């Protein structure tokens, strides 16, 4: 009776959750329940196939009676083993790779992520199809991401703005990030294509260049980063969230046509690339990831990148990735 009453109450609680989280919430609740030795085996058995049981040969009455004491003892031993195994899983059953902490215990109030605004006012990066500097796009998006992270409790989020010419500014931003003792660095950029792929057009009476051939985001990590494994894990989370938002990744970096700009694709599903030579990724003392949010040389995607609504989609994806990086259970339960 107590179990039936529990499930009636549980049914009323979970009815309020969104369908996509219902199964994960149920698993988490069952994992939190106190498990007695006599009941410990039911949860693992719930996920097992019954095909082996269906194929088991039938036994005679005398055979069943003769093996009953041994079978009972075996059941008690199995139940005890399963109880110990489930207790070891903790409050939520997650794969060991996901349970690995980001940097010790991650407290959003003290966790510091640096948002590096790509390029500088003096060295503005790529020029969009409508003659707008990449630096302007980077700054607007980085500010929106920072606002979102702070609203989610990551009060120590820092916006990193650097001055100067291209290469010297790279070492300045690395030094600044290291001095801030950041836990993570995310460098914000917007994409273009090699000059050989550009086409001419005129916008508002001015000669411009465009390439509508490619579009999409891309995420980069460097194997030379002192913590490549953690960098890659964070990159995977960002790429996964970008895809979950309905965005697609830029495929051109894996193609021979890119020449020296071709890079190894580490995840064909989500668009994580390896770019070992990037100074901002390999010289920082903390895990670091570079996000190309989209192509501003693509005329249609440039308009999207200029939209506050689209920037909010990207900011939400980054914020979700940081939340999951800090607490892997967040991906299962979310902000209940």
């Amino acid at each position: 009776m107590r179990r039936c009453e529990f499930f009636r109450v549980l049914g009323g609680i979970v009815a309020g959750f969104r369908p996509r989280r219902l199964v994960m919430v149920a698993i988490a609740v069952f994992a939190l329940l106190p498990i007695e030795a006599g009941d410990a085996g039911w949860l693992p058995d719930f996920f097992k196939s019954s095909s082996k049981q269906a194929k088991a040969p039938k036994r005679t009455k005398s055979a069943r009676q003769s093996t009953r004491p041994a079978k009972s003892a075996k059941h008690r031993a199995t139940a005890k083993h399963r109880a110990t195994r489930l207790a070891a899983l903790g409050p939520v059953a997650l794969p060991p790779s996901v349970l690995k902490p980001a940097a010790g215990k991650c407290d959003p109030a003290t966790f510091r992520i640096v948002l590096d605004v790509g390029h500088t006012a003096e060295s503005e990066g790529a020029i969009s199809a409508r003659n707008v500097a990449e630096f302007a796009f980077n700054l607007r998006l980085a500010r929106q991401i920072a606002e979102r992270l702070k609203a989610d409790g990551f009060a120590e989020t820092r916006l990193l703005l650097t001055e100067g010419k291209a290469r010297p500014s790279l070492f300045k931003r690395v030094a600044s990030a290291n001095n801030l003792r950041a836990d993570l660095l995310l460098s914000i950029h917007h994409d273009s294509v090699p000059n050989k792929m550009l086409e001419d057009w005129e916008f508002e009476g001015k000669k411009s260049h465009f390439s509508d051939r490619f579009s999409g985001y891309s995420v980069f990590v460097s194997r030379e980063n002192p913590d490549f494994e953690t960098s890659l894990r964070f990159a995977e989370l960002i790429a996964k969230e970008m895809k979950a938002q309905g965005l697609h990744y830029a495929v051109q970096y894996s193609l021979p046509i890119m020449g020296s700009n071709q890079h190894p694709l580490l995840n064909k599903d989500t668009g994580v690339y390896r770019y070992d030579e990037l100074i901002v990724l390999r010289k920082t003392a903390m895990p670091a990831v570079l996000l190309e949010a989209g192509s501003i040389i693509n005329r249609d995607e440039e308009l999207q990148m200029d939209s506050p609504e689209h920037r909010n989609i990207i900011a939400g994806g980054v914020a979700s990735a940081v939340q999951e990086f800090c607490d892997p259970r967040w991906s299962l339960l979310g902000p209940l």
Side-chain angles (χ1 to χ4, degrees), residues 64-83:
R64 288 197 301 269
Q65 289 175 343
S66 63
T67 59
R68 186 172 296 163
K71 182 177 180 181
S72 177
K74 181 180 179 181
H75 174 75
R76 287 195 299 270
T78 303
K80 183 176 180 181
H81 172 71
R82 286 172 175 164

Side-chain angles (χ1 to χ4, degrees), residues 9-61:
V9 174
L10 179 61
I13 294 173
V14 301
F17 290 117
R18 287 171 285 184
R20 69 187 181 92
R21 289 185 180 158
L22 184 56
V23 174
M24 291 303 181
V25 171
I27 293 174
V29 170
F30 289 142
L32 288 167
L33 289 176
I35 302 175
E36 297 178 2
D39 297 328
W42 77 272
L43 184 58
D45 288 341
F46 179 78
F47 294 100
K48 290 182 180 179
S49 169
S50 59
S51 58
K52 291 184 179 181
Q53 295 178 357
K55 295 179 181 179
K58 294 183 178 179
R59 297 177 180 176
T60 63
K61 181 177 180 182

Side-chain angles (χ1 to χ4, degrees), residues 48 53 59 85 109 127 196 237 244 297:
K48 290 182 180 179
Q53 295 178 357
R59 297 177 180 176
R85 185 175 59 187
I127 301 299
K196 65 182 180 180
L237 291 174
I297 203 66

Side-chain angles (χ1 to χ4, degrees), residues 102-252:
K105 182 179 179 181
C106 177
D107 179 5
T110 58
F111 187 81
R112 180 170 293 172
I113 177 169
V114 168
L115 299 175
D116 169 46
V117 180
H119 302 286
T120 69
E122 296 84 2
S123 182
E124 298 179 312
I127 301 299
S128 78
R130 292 171 176 82
N131 299 312
V132 179
E134 179 191 350
F135 177 71
F137 284 92
N138 297 344
L139 181 57
R140 282 181 297 186
L141 179 57
R143 282 174 172 167
Q144 199 151 341
I145 294 174
E147 290 175 3
R148 181 62 179 268
L149 286 171
K150 289 180 179 179
D152 286 350
F154 291 88
E156 288 294 310
T157 300
R158 295 287 188 271
L159 203 65
L160 181 58
L161 281 167
T162 313
E163 298 177 349
K165 297 297 182 180
R167 189 169 180 82
S169 73
L170 294 175
F171 291 97
K172 286 182 181 179
R173 70 187 67 234
V174 166
S176 297
N178 291 340
N179 290 336
L180 285 170
R181 299 182 181 275
D183 298 293
L184 277 179
L185 180 138
L186 177 62
S187 189
I188 305 297
H189 288 257
H190 288 74
D191 219 349
S192 185
V193 295
N195 290 338
K196 65 182 180 180
M197 297 183 184
L198 295 175
E199 300 177 56
D200 295 334
W201 78 313
E202 191 173 283
F203 176 72
E204 294 184 344
K206 295 181 180 180
K207 182 180 178 180
S208 305
H209 303 284
F210 76 95
S211 176
D212 296 337
R213 186 172 180 179
F214 300 111
S215 63
Y217 71 88
S218 48
V219 184
F220 294 91
V221 290
S222 171
R223 189 173 50 185
E224 302 302 318
N225 181 275
D227 194 347
F228 171 66
E229 183 179 347
T230 304
S231 299
L232 179 59
R233 186 156 54 90
F234 183 49
E236 294 280 10
L237 291 174
I238 290 179
K240 183 191 74 172
E241 290 296 336
M242 294 297 105
K243 183 179 179 180
Q245 297 292 338
L247 307 178
H248 68 274
Y249 75 86
V251 300
Q252 68 264 28

